[in-house]
Amino acid sequence: MLTRQESQQRISRLQEALRGKGIDGALFIHPIDVYYFSGTRQNSTLWVPAEGEPRLWVRKSFARGIQESCIEDTRPFPSSKEFPAQFEEGVRSVGFTFDVAPVQQYNYYLKLLPGRDFVDVSAINREIRSVKSPWELEQIRHCGGQLAGVFREVPGFLKPGMREVDLAAEFEYRLRKAGGEGYVRMRAFNQELFQGLAVSSASAGATGFFDGAVTGQGMSSASPHGASAALIPVNAPILIDYTGVFNGYIIDMTRFFVIGKLAPELEHAFRTALAIQGYLAEHLKPGAICEKLFLKAAEMAQAAGLAEHFMGAPGENARFVGHGVGLELDEFPVLAQGFNVALQAGQTLAIEPKFVFPGKGVIGIENTFAVTDEGGVRLSDLPDDLVYL
């Protein structure tokens, strides 16, 4: 569980940022934001004033909310008539996370608090959450250990003749047995993910909505992402790309397996992916500019003659090579074109250089790193090697 000290440190950082922007306080309704500051994911609304003590109103379950919450002033959600009286007269500007708040909820709170100006604090919130405390880094490191343990079991259950979905089921079974929570939270609109994906050359070239290098065919047009019912062929790469979610925190890893041999073209792409990962990891230092790191990765792919396959099937390429992870899979920062922002110590990123060859397969690597003065520190302990079966 979140400690009271950890909660207070997060709230202090938020209050400092609010004061710097001249905002009187922030009202959080998005569940994982409420959890980040309070320690409970119960159906709640959190008010953090720029000065003074925060307040948490819980709809359901109050019994569990009061047990879990690190907020001293935790109370049942008041009636609509009573709600305005919960705020001091001097409160005029109210921070709200416009990036995730539904219009219906925005209008609801706007009506409850007439005369207040609602301002967007999405960027403030995401930047604060992007920098992980030592406590958070230990949570993610634990995720890495648990997920790596499942990856180590793959040679024992990956067999010729399996379908992609069979492989996914075997992996997910073990991940769940290890205590994996399975909640892969994503902040971006129109993104969803079921734990991860197991994809072979039979569906590696499939394209779709998911904002990543690999989509997979999925099981239907309603679930067009991840493993399919296709048989896994021999002499082709098999991608297993999964999250490990423990105590709410996420780590993201990918490894590749081959039943038989791999074509020289794909082996070349794999070596290139390792080289890109190595360069990026070395340069994950405070002050490094995210866009420049992405452009260097793209330059290395170009120099290897693999530009059209980098981070997606030709014509469907994703414009990033790394993304922040934490309580959500798509946190800040992003190593992406247009993300002209400097890295900060304590940020955590999944670095995932991958190459997609429709009809032949996908190849690459993915590990999660912490930004430090010495460069990226890997948060999982598992060899990057291709595993031949």
Side-chain angles (χ1 to χ4, degrees):
M1 294 179 64
L2 183 69
T3 66
R4 189 174 294 271
Q5 180 182 12
E6 186 79 14
S7 170
Q8 290 172 343
Q9 289 173 348
R10 297 173 183 185
I11 288 169
S12 294
R13 291 170 60 205
L14 173 62
Q15 290 177 319
E16 182 180 357
L18 293 173
R19 291 192 296 269
K21 295 290 185 180
I23 302 171
D24 295 325
L27 195 66
F28 293 99
I29 65 171
H30 192 57
I32 205 61
D33 292 336
V34 173
Y35 173 79
Y36 175 78
F37 290 106
S38 74
T40 183
R41 183 259 172 265
Q42 297 303 301
N43 187 355
S44 312
T45 296
L46 174 66
W47 168 246
V48 180
E51 299 278 1
E53 296 302 314
R55 187 173 299 147
L56 182 70
W57 300 286
V58 185
R59 286 189 171 91
K60 185 177 185 299
S61 155
F62 179 70
R64 184 161 180 178
I66 194 73
Q67 179 184 8
E68 297 174 342
S69 175
C70 294
I71 305 300
E72 186 171 344
D73 189 353
T74 296
R75 59 180 72 177
F77 198 93
S79 69
S80 297
K81 290 182 180 180
E82 297 170 332
F83 192 78
Q86 308 288 316
F87 296 80
E88 294 78 10
E89 284 293 326
V91 173
R92 286 292 172 262
S93 55
V94 176
F96 212 60
T97 49
F98 288 11
D99 62 335
V100 289
V103 173
Q104 181 188 43
Q105 290 294 305
Y106 170 74
N107 288 332
Y108 170 74
Y109 284 98
L110 200 63
K111 185 177 180 180
L112 285 184
L113 299 172
R116 268 80 169 196
D117 294 323
F118 278 62
V119 296
D120 190 10
V121 292
S122 304
I124 291 174
N125 175 51
R126 296 194 72 179
E127 182 173 343
I128 288 171
R129 284 184 46 190
S130 77
V131 178
K132 308 304 188 291
S133 68
W135 183 86
E136 289 183 286
L137 292 175
E138 282 307 307
Q139 302 304 309
I140 299 174
R141 196 182 301 276
H142 172 70
C143 296
Q146 296 298 101
L147 184 57
V150 179
F151 270 110
R152 290 188 179 96
E153 295 185 44
V154 172
F157 61 79
L158 175 54
K159 307 294 182 184
M162 294 182 81
R163 301 176 301 169
E164 290 180 348
V165 70
D166 298 326
L167 174 59
E170 293 288 346
F171 195 94
E172 291 161 14
Y173 164 74
R174 288 163 175 81
L175 185 55
R176 188 65 168 150
K177 289 273 285 185
E181 295 169 355
Y183 283 88
V184 186
R185 295 182 169 99
M186 298 190 70
R187 201 169 189 88
F189 178 71
N190 196 30
Q191 296 295 299
E192 54 189 4
L193 171 67
F194 183 71
Q195 295 194 56
L197 65 160
V199 172
S200 68
S201 61
S203 68
T207 57
F209 74 93
F210 190 72
D211 186 19
V214 184
T215 296
Q217 187 66 39
M219 298 302 293
S220 74
S221 57
S223 303
H225 178 264
S228 72
L231 292 176
I232 296 173
V234 298
N235 301 320
I238 303 161
L239 168 147
I240 301 182
D241 180 352
Y242 268 82
T243 58
V245 187
F246 297 82
N247 200 25
Y249 283 88
I250 299 171
I251 198 165
D252 199 3
M253 296 169 59
T254 303
R255 291 296 185 272
F256 285 84
F257 302 82
V258 184
I259 301 174
K261 298 181 179 180
L262 201 60
E265 179 184 25
L266 297 175
E267 289 184 336
H268 167 62
F270 181 68
R271 290 192 297 271
T272 303
L274 291 180
I276 292 172
Q277 177 188 247
Y279 176 88
L280 295 177
E282 181 183 351
H283 291 83
L284 290 181
K285 299 179 181 180
I289 303 301
C290 294
E291 181 183 50
K292 289 183 178 179
L293 292 176
F294 168 78
L295 292 176
K296 178 61 178 180
E299 177 186 314
M300 293 174 72
Q302 175 78 40
L306 298 168
E308 66 174 338
H309 302 282
F310 184 52
M311 295 304 294
E316 297 273 352
N317 311 79
R319 298 297 177 186
F320 72 91
V321 71
H323 57 90
V325 293
L327 291 170
E328 293 171 310
L329 187 64
D330 54 347
E331 294 195 359
F332 282 172
V334 188
L335 303 188
Q337 190 169 353
F339 202 83
N340 193 28
V341 176
L343 293 176
Q344 301 178 59
Q347 290 178 324
T348 47
L349 298 99
I351 304 299
E352 55 168 321
K354 293 170 183 168
F355 297 92
V356 180
F357 300 81
K360 298 180 181 178
V362 57
I363 198 74
I365 194 66
E366 182 174 22
N367 287 291
T368 299
F369 297 85
V371 178
T372 76
D373 291 336
E374 289 73 39
V377 172
R378 191 185 299 205
L379 297 176
S380 62
D381 182 18
L382 186 69
D384 291 340
D385 304 336
L386 277 169
V387 179
Y388 289 90
L389 303 174

